[in-house]
Amino acid sequence: MLVKNNIYPCHQIIDENQEFSDYLSTVIKQKWELSEAKLDYHVVSIFGSQSTGKSTLLNTLFETSFDVMDAAQGRSQTTRGIWMSCAKQAPIILMDIEGSDGAERGEDQDFERKAALFALTTSEVVIFNLYENQVNLYAGGNMSMLKTVIQVNLELFQNQKGAPQQKTLILIAIRDYSGQTPIEKLQKNLQDSFDTIWKELTKTTTTTITTTIHDFFDFMFIGLPHGIFFTEQFAKEADNLRQRFINQTNSDYVFQPEYHKQIPIDAYHKYVSDIWTQICMNKSLDLPTQQELLSGFRCDEISNDVLKRFEKRIDFLKTCTLEKDDIINDLGYRMRTFRDLAINEYQTKASCYLPEIYKEKEKNLLLKLNVRLRVFFDTQLKNLHIRAVKMFDYELKATVFNKSSSSYKYKEYDNTEKIIASRRETVEKYFLTYAQEIVLPDTNWSYQYEYSELKITLDMLSKNALLYDSERFNNSCIKKEEDLKKARHELLRAGFTGIAAVATFYGNAFVAVPAAYLAGRFSDQTP
């Protein structure tokens, strides 16, 4: 939500008591509207002596609303602690740091050094604000503070354990520049001062001993005329400087890839608050380790959030498969869709963190998703087994066990083994079609055990059907033999003259033959 005149509000992230704000994350999302920025944002901080126009410069360049000094009230401290705001023209977070050398803090330089170190370790670009007449001054030009800050910052790189070096751009804004001394001359003087600071630093590793300050910092210099006495010139130079921050085609564009801290915006609050905590506890900062911890923490948070939404999506599957023992026709498609959606959500939010950690957490998430889906796979297989057995049993009853029914469409002489084999092939194909459809890629799932169990059950049913058919055939043969005996006795009783009538009466149970043959066939048998 923007305030009037479309200027983003300021927020104090560290107060004068060195307490870090609990609301920075909320401000980033709701006030500065950066929740979707991911890595597409930049951080610029400014520090220097008190009352050198730091806040005024930020307001001029980025249309922010930092408090500025009222000269009529005397030269006093305006910015207390560290304040942040967002640029109007681009996703740039601005950090306005309490000025050094203030009478309010006197000899206590503890906060000044902590704040400067905080800016140096969390910003891509640090604007070092100083007057032209301070260029050759050691104390007045804050060179002593810079030396302390760079010394501590050097310890960060010494602790990186082979990690790629992160550089920071230090932009020297020479205020109230008169033009009498060429900017190149002032630049050389300042660069010599930085080189001197570097030589005086304590270096404890081979890497830092053999490197120069330029391996860790880039420098850019600009002169800005007096803002009151030379208003038009100041406005022109300020506009030129603004283009270096917002125009990517500018030859002096400041936001180069090697300066970015690679901290996604949704983790920025935690990252900078942890950095501040370590600074206040005088711990040696290890930025790569800090990024690893942050990446692991955020990737776990994102993964857990994705899992919660995933659980809600698959709730209805539990009702269908677990509670109703039903078969879901497109279960495999639904499981793949829900799983892919969860993985895509994770990738979208977590891919901006350290690749090795992001990938490892993605593997863990995939395993968790598969575990949750496996229950549907197993249940569907069980239900398929039951359904296939019922189908086969029904087919057997409708064919083999029901041959005598008037509705049976097969002939008496149909081959029972072929009927059973045909019905079994249909049932097994049904099971395999559905079983294969629910096997997800990137799993070791298999339906072979359930398929083997199904075949054992079908074998048993098939054998029972064949046995039943065989017994029925035997019974049929016995009955026919009994019918023939009965017919013979009837013929003998009725005499040979009643052959035709008896044959007609028994139908297919008896085939009439010539009387002469019957007389010869049965003459020796007792009625």
Side-chain angles (χ1 to χ4, degrees):
M1 178 179 178
L2 299 179
V3 296
K4 60 181 180 179
N5 300 324
N6 294 327
I7 295 177
Y8 289 98
C10 298
H11 179 69
Q12 188 179 38
I13 64 166
I14 300 173
D15 63 22
E16 55 270 27
N17 297 317
Q18 305 187 22
E19 297 294 330
F20 200 95
S21 168
D22 293 330
Y23 305 103
L24 177 59
S25 180
T26 301
V27 172
I28 289 174
K29 294 177 181 178
Q30 299 181 7
K31 302 295 185 181
W32 300 342
E33 303 174 334
L34 293 176
S35 57
E36 302 301 322
K38 297 183 181 178
L39 290 172
D40 188 22
Y41 74 99
H42 305 286
V43 182
V44 177
S45 60
I46 187 169
F47 70 87
S49 299
Q50 180 178 297
S51 304
T52 54
K54 300 185 302 300
S55 302
T56 300
L57 180 58
L58 291 179
N59 291 342
T60 302
L61 294 176
F62 303 106
E63 298 185 56
T64 49
S65 57
F66 291 111
D67 287 341
V68 298
M69 183 190 70
D70 183 356
Q73 301 299 320
R75 305 184 70 84
S76 61
Q77 186 181 50
T78 304
T79 303
R80 294 178 180 271
I82 298 179
W83 288 74
M84 276 187 174
S85 188
C86 184
K88 178 181 177 181
Q89 311 94 324
I92 304 173
I93 295 177
L94 291 315
M95 194 184 310
D96 190 8
I97 298 174
E98 177 182 317
S100 60
D101 295 338
E104 288 80 1
R105 291 197 182 271
E107 296 296 326
D108 182 11
Q109 296 183 341
D110 177 65
F111 182 79
E112 295 177 5
R113 293 173 178 175
K114 289 178 179 177
L117 178 58
F118 178 77
L120 210 57
T121 53
T122 60
S123 306
E124 299 168 59
V125 180
V126 175
I127 301 175
F128 184 34
N129 208 51
L130 77 163
Y131 290 123
E132 180 181 4
N133 59 11
Q134 293 178 321
V135 169
N136 291 319
L137 300 179
Y138 189 79
N142 283 308
M143 290 303 169
S144 61
M145 182 182 69
L146 267 180
K147 179 180 179 181
T148 302
V149 170
I150 293 176
Q151 174 70 70
V152 178
N153 198 63
L154 179 63
E155 295 176 6
L156 308 184
F157 297 108
Q158 292 179 155
N159 291 332
Q160 284 195 3
K161 302 173 184 178
Q165 293 177 181
Q166 278 192 334
K167 301 184 74 173
T168 302
L169 175 64
I170 298 180
L171 193 155
I172 313 298
I174 304 174
R175 306 298 299 273
D176 295 356
Y177 174 60
S178 65
Q180 294 181 350
T181 303
I183 191 69
E184 294 78 12
K185 178 63 176 176
L186 297 176
Q187 177 177 331
K188 184 180 185 307
N189 290 342
L190 288 169
Q191 194 63 69
D192 289 343
S193 298
F194 293 136
D195 291 338
T196 299
I197 288 175
W198 183 261
K199 291 177 182 178
E200 295 175 351
L201 294 178
T202 302
K203 306 176 185 66
T204 59
T205 67
T206 303
T207 301
T208 53
I209 291 174
T210 58
T211 55
T212 69
I213 193 171
H214 302 285
D215 292 311
F216 303 103
F217 302 99
D218 285 334
F219 296 90
M220 186 178 288
F221 301 84
I222 186 172
L224 295 174
H226 199 288
I228 297 178
F229 300 146
F230 303 96
T231 306
E232 291 184 4
Q233 294 91 324
F234 177 82
K236 180 180 178 181
E237 292 300 329
D239 184 63
N240 290 337
L241 179 57
R242 182 186 304 108
Q243 295 306 311
R244 300 189 188 192
F245 290 91
I246 65 174
N247 185 0
Q248 297 185 25
T249 63
N250 189 286
S251 58
D252 291 320
Y253 184 65
V254 297
F255 296 122
Q256 299 303 314
E258 59 267 29
Y259 305 146
H260 204 292
K261 306 306 179 186
Q262 300 300 315
I263 305 299
I265 192 65
D266 60 352
Y268 186 74
H269 180 179
K270 177 172 175 55
Y271 177 72
V272 295
S273 64
D274 287 348
I275 292 293
W276 180 250
T277 298
Q278 292 198 33
I279 289 175
C280 290
M281 295 176 66
N282 294 318
K283 289 186 176 180
S284 178
L285 293 178
D286 186 348
L287 295 183
T289 299
Q290 197 67 25
Q291 289 186 8
E292 291 174 8
L293 294 174
L294 178 67
S295 294
F297 176 81
R298 282 295 298 141
C299 287
D300 281 338
E301 277 192 336
I302 294 170
S303 177
N304 292 335
D305 186 50
V306 168
L307 275 175
K308 289 179 182 178
R309 288 195 295 274
F310 174 79
E311 293 282 4
K312 291 182 179 179
R313 295 189 187 106
I314 64 174
D315 272 346
F316 82 98
L317 295 178
K318 297 178 182 178
T319 302
C320 294
T321 60
L322 301 183
E323 297 178 10
K324 296 183 178 181
D325 294 333
D326 200 3
I327 301 296
I328 302 178
N329 294 333
D330 57 349
L331 177 61
Y333 170 77
R334 295 188 184 189
M335 290 194 298
R336 287 190 296 272
T337 300
F338 292 148
R339 192 182 70 171
D340 290 346
L341 180 59
I343 292 297
N344 289 336
E345 286 179 352
Y346 171 81
Q347 291 175 342
T348 300
K349 294 184 177 181
S351 59
C352 48
Y353 291 95
L354 292 180
E356 61 274 16
I357 294 178
Y358 150 70
K359 287 295 183 183
E360 183 64 27
K361 298 296 182 180
E362 181 181 347
K363 290 180 182 178
N364 293 339
L365 173 61
L366 181 61
L367 290 175
K368 293 177 182 178
L369 296 174
N370 289 340
V371 167
R372 283 158 173 77
L373 292 174
R374 180 61 189 258
V375 65
F376 301 111
F377 173 81
D378 291 337
T379 304
Q380 179 98 321
L381 280 183
K382 182 195 72 174
N383 293 343
L384 280 173
H385 187 152
I386 296 173
R387 180 73 62 86
V389 170
K390 289 182 178 179
M391 288 173 59
F392 190 56
D393 185 60
Y394 174 83
E395 290 294 329
L396 291 180
K397 288 179 179 178
T399 55
V400 177
F401 293 98
N402 200 30
K403 282 185 176 182
S404 61
S405 171
S406 60
S407 63
Y408 179 62
K409 65 180 180 179
Y410 295 94
K411 303 300 182 182
E412 187 74 23
Y413 52 79
D414 281 345
N415 188 311
T416 301
E417 291 185 355
K418 288 184 178 180
I419 295 174
I420 294 175
S422 175
R423 293 299 176 270
R424 176 167 180 167
E425 181 181 359
T426 301
V427 168
E428 288 191 19
K429 184 178 180 180
Y430 165 82
F431 177 87
L432 290 174
T433 299
Y434 278 90
Q436 291 167 355
E437 195 268 340
I438 60 176
V439 176
L440 299 186
D442 299 316
T443 67
N444 60 351
W445 298 357
S446 173
Y447 53 81
Q448 291 303 320
Y449 175 79
E450 198 71 38
Y451 182 43
S452 298
E453 292 294 307
L454 173 64
K455 290 195 290 186
I456 292 173
T457 305
L458 297 182
D459 284 341
M460 180 185 67
L461 293 175
S462 299
K463 289 178 181 178
N464 289 340
L466 287 171
L467 180 61
Y468 172 83
D469 192 63
S470 176
E471 290 178 350
R472 183 174 58 185
F473 177 77
N474 292 334
N475 293 335
S476 176
C477 291
I478 293 172
K479 184 176 183 301
K480 288 180 180 179
E481 185 177 351
E482 291 176 349
D483 289 343
L484 285 171
K485 289 181 179 180
K486 185 176 181 181
R488 183 190 66 193
H489 290 298
E490 292 294 334
L491 284 172
L492 291 175
R493 287 192 186 97
F496 296 120
T497 58
I499 290 175
V502 173
T504 301
F505 177 78
Y506 284 103
N508 291 335
F510 175 76
V511 178
V513 296
Y517 173 80
L518 289 173
R521 176 75 179 81
F522 296 111
S523 61
D524 59 340
Q525 298 186 26
T526 304

